Amino acid sequence: MVKLSSKRIIASYEICIYMTNCCFIFQKLFQLKDGDLSVIGRFAAGACAGMTSTFVTYPLDVLRLRLAVEPGYKTMSKVALNMLREEGVASFYNG
């Protein structure tokens, strides 16, 4: 059985809240004067929310993958600092 620390659960919960709020922000941005969303407005709000969520979560996936594949690292912070020092910020978005 996998044990989850309370910090990990809280971080996941915060990311979910952020993504939900992000979607509502984009919906408000693309609303018409009467408060409804047109089809194009819904498409634009969904696209912007999707891009934002990918922009936020992709670096976390890269860190998780490197932690699993590369031997010698014990924490995500060590992986992140090593990536930042040796490869730069762009390494968090390389596939």
Side-chain angles (χ1 to χ4, degrees):
M1 182 171 183
V2 177
K3 291 184 179 180
L4 293 176
S5 68
S6 60
K7 289 181 182 179
R8 186 174 291 167
I9 292 171
I10 291 170
S12 300
Y13 180 70
E14 288 172 353
I15 289 173
C16 290
I17 289 174
Y18 172 78
M19 295 307 163
T20 304
N21 288 339
C22 183
C23 185
F24 289 129
I25 289 169
F26 285 120
Q27 283 179 351
K28 292 253 182 212
L29 184 66
F30 292 108
Q31 275 183 349
L32 299 174
K33 290 179 183 176
D34 61 357
D36 289 337
L37 280 173
S38 66
V39 174
I40 294 172
R42 288 174 195 232
F43 177 77
C48 290
M51 286 186 290
T52 303
S53 68
T54 301
F55 182 75
V56 170
T57 59
Y58 192 77
L60 298 174
D61 285 337
V62 171
L63 284 174
R64 180 184 51 84
L65 178 67
R66 292 223 183 168
L67 185 63
V69 173
E70 293 180 8
Y73 292 115
K74 300 230 183 236
T75 63
M76 285 185 115
S77 60
K78 288 183 180 180
V79 176
L81 288 173
N82 188 36
M83 286 174 61
L84 194 59
R85 273 190 228 124
E86 293 183 8
E87 302 172 44
V89 176
S91 66
F92 291 97
Y93 293 96
N94 288 340

